[in-house]
Amino acid sequence: MTEQLLGRSARKRQTILSAGRALFLSNGYQGTSVDQIAATAEVSKQTVYKHFGDKHELLLAIVNNALESTVTVFLERITALGDTTDLEADLRALAGDYLRAVLQEPVVQLRRLVVAEANRVPALAQLYYEQAPARMLTAFAECFGRLHDRSLLYVPEPALAAEHFAFLIVGRCIDQALFYGGPQVLAGIDVDGYIRAGVRVFLAGYRPRADAGGR
Amino acid sequence: MTEQLLGRSARKRQTILSAGRALFLSNGYQGTSVDQIAATAEVSKQTVYKHFGDKHELLLAIVNNALESTVTVFLERITALGDTTDLEADLRALAGDYLRAVLQEPVVQLRRLVVAEANRVPALAQLYYEQAPARMLTAFAECFGRLHDRSLLYVPEPALAAEHFAFLIVGRCIDQALFYGGPQVLAGIDVDGYIRAGVRVFLAGYRPRADAGGR
């Protein structure tokens, strides 16, 4: 009985999160009411408040939930890249998937929503940045540190190299997508050629120089 | 008399633009009314409409006006960089000023405002992107094409090299500033070291290889 209740409660929670996410992404934070979310989730307004406190807390939970599923997959892949036996090919494969992931329209809309509320809800902006870009950059830094130890890269400042890699790959596209949307930006590039060029510049900057004896 | 009238009209126009800019940047597009702008500019609402049509048009004019002054200076400097006699030093100097410019709080707030309205006012997002990032990237591409012709760089795809340069220099910072604000991001980096590292990777990727006979 208790287990059944918990299961129902968890499902309701998930239904509210999905409804809230869809509404916030289409109508923005200001343009969405708890009444609408409750109606879409087919629960009472009291149930929304019981689960999430208030609209602000609900938005934080939605962002957390949305990022958890998209970011975690990449964190594992970035860690695995530290053990690569074909660095250039694996960098390219990861970079291509990373670029396509950040240009998915729900991801772009979530960024827009958080940026739009950054003045009013700085805690949301901080949560987003810590949960998404900062975690990705930290994972890349650890991976590049490991590749440095394996002498596959020369990376005296892993955090900086992580930024260089990330923004060589997704920088212009993620920026442009904030203005034009992800699908339009993705349609405008040849992903393979784009990734190849970004990885080439990164490796030019960070490959150990054979002739410098590790510098 | 006519000249005096024109002068007064131009001054009023500028006063309305300044008032609108300050209000939009503090309170957002939805949170700002034409009544407030008229009151702050000390003109009638009719005068605002006479000059700008409607609130939407006024916002477009404000963004255009704000970008014109900040972007033009850089376009000229980027063009001048094509004639450099000390590429690395001049790249660093320009990059440092570019980074500091994009992290100015009014610039960051303008980006946030435009991103926040991108769904409702796509024409504004397009105007912004064309007037600012796209013009900067085009100017860098032309400059790097010229440096390629002078054999100071090897840049078969100038547009791509322009993106790589821009996002190696300002990518992470401009992205993070959307979430934390410009001054906080600027305070967190050693600008000189940061620029030096970005320029180093760019040049590693795009310097002509002496040993490859220009490739």
Side-chain angles (χ1 to χ4, degrees):
Chain A
M1 181 63 185
T2 311
E3 247 179 49
Q4 266 188 338
L5 275 176
L6 279 175
R8 229 177 74 192
S9 176
R11 274 199 306 280
K12 268 198 187 172
R13 193 185 148 85
Q14 203 53 51
T15 308
I16 297 167
L17 285 172
S18 302
R21 183 178 175 175
L23 286 164
F24 281 136
L25 291 189
S26 329
N27 308 330
Y29 183 69
Q30 302 296 109
T32 303
S33 69
V34 173
D35 279 318
Q36 288 172 302
I37 295 169
T40 306
E42 298 181 334
V43 300
S44 71
K45 204 167 157 176
Q46 284 69 33
T47 303
V48 176
Y49 288 129
K50 199 184 73 192
H51 280 272
F52 297 101
D54 60 13
K55 185 175 156 190
H56 177 124
E57 291 294 322
L58 175 57
L59 181 60
L60 291 175
I62 286 167
V63 169
N64 221 355
N65 187 260
L67 293 177
E68 196 49 41
S69 51
T70 47
V71 172
T72 309
V73 179
F74 276 100
L75 297 182
E76 287 165 9
R77 286 191 58 188
I78 297 169
T79 302
L81 181 68
D83 297 318
T84 181
T85 52
D86 187 346
L87 178 58
E88 190 160 354
D90 287 350
L91 270 178
R92 281 188 197 161
L94 180 61
D97 291 341
Y98 177 31
L99 180 62
R100 277 181 284 260
V102 299
L103 291 179
Q104 286 174 75
E105 195 58 6
V107 176
V108 172
Q109 289 293 343
L110 191 66
R111 282 180 77 87
R112 279 187 181 168
L113 176 68
V114 173
V115 168
E117 297 303 322
N119 284 327
R120 264 186 301 254
V121 197
L124 176 68
Q126 191 181 338
L127 171 78
Y128 180 94
Y129 196 83
E130 284 172 2
Q131 290 296 307
R135 278 168 88 198
M136 294 289 285
L137 290 172
T138 301
F140 276 124
E142 286 169 5
C143 167
F144 295 154
R146 167 125 176 77
L147 293 170
H148 176 93
D149 293 341
R150 292 179 59 207
S151 301
L152 291 173
L153 291 178
Y154 177 78
V155 181
E157 295 182 271
L160 202 52
E163 294 179 17
H164 287 163
F165 181 72
F167 286 90
L168 280 168
I169 299 301
V170 303
R172 191 271 290 178
C173 292
I174 214 173
D175 187 62
Q176 193 177 13
L178 284 171
F179 300 92
Y180 289 96
Q184 187 174 331
V185 173
L186 191 59
I189 56 171
D190 156 25
V191 173
D192 285 348
Y194 198 81
I195 293 304
R196 190 178 298 269
V199 168
R200 185 191 69 76
V201 172
F202 176 75
L203 289 176
Y206 288 106
R207 260 210 207 282
R209 286 197 196 152
D211 59 348
R215 274 187 272 191
Chain B
M1 180 66 184
T2 309
E3 247 180 48
Q4 266 188 336
L5 274 177
L6 278 176
R8 228 176 75 192
S9 176
R11 275 199 307 279
K12 269 198 186 170
R13 194 186 148 84
Q14 203 53 51
T15 308
I16 298 166
L17 285 173
S18 302
R21 183 176 174 174
L23 286 165
F24 281 135
L25 290 189
S26 328
N27 307 330
Y29 182 69
Q30 302 296 111
T32 304
S33 69
V34 173
D35 279 317
Q36 287 173 302
I37 294 169
T40 306
E42 299 181 336
V43 300
S44 70
K45 204 167 157 179
Q46 285 67 34
T47 303
V48 177
Y49 287 130
K50 201 184 72 191
H51 280 273
F52 296 101
D54 60 14
K55 185 175 154 187
H56 177 124
E57 291 294 322
L58 174 58
L59 181 60
L60 290 175
I62 286 169
V63 170
N64 222 355
N65 187 261
L67 293 177
E68 197 48 43
S69 51
T70 47
V71 173
T72 310
V73 179
F74 276 100
L75 297 181
E76 287 164 9
R77 285 191 58 188
I78 296 168
T79 302
L81 180 68
D83 297 319
T84 182
T85 53
D86 186 347
L87 178 59
E88 192 161 353
D90 286 349
L91 269 179
R92 280 188 197 159
L94 179 61
D97 292 340
Y98 178 31
L99 180 61
R100 278 181 283 261
V102 299
L103 292 179
Q104 286 173 78
E105 195 56 7
V107 175
V108 172
Q109 289 293 344
L110 191 65
R111 282 180 76 88
R112 280 187 181 168
L113 176 68
V114 173
V115 168
E117 297 304 321
N119 284 326
R120 265 187 300 256
V121 198
L124 175 68
Q126 192 180 339
L127 171 79
Y128 180 93
Y129 196 83
E130 284 171 2
Q131 290 295 308
R135 278 167 88 197
M136 293 290 285
L137 290 173
T138 302
F140 276 125
E142 286 169 6
C143 166
F144 295 153
R146 166 126 177 76
L147 294 169
H148 176 94
D149 293 342
R150 292 179 61 206
S151 302
L152 292 173
L153 292 178
Y154 177 77
V155 181
E157 295 181 271
L160 203 52
E163 294 179 17
H164 287 163
F165 181 72
F167 286 89
L168 280 168
I169 299 303
V170 303
R172 191 270 290 177
C173 292
I174 213 173
D175 187 61
Q176 192 175 14
L178 284 171
F179 300 91
Y180 289 95
Q184 186 174 331
V185 173
L186 191 59
I189 56 171
D190 155 26
V191 173
D192 285 349
Y194 199 80
I195 293 304
R196 190 178 298 269
V199 168
R200 185 191 70 76
V201 172
F202 176 75
L203 289 177
Y206 289 107
R207 260 208 205 284
R209 286 196 197 153
D211 60 349
R215 274 187 271 190

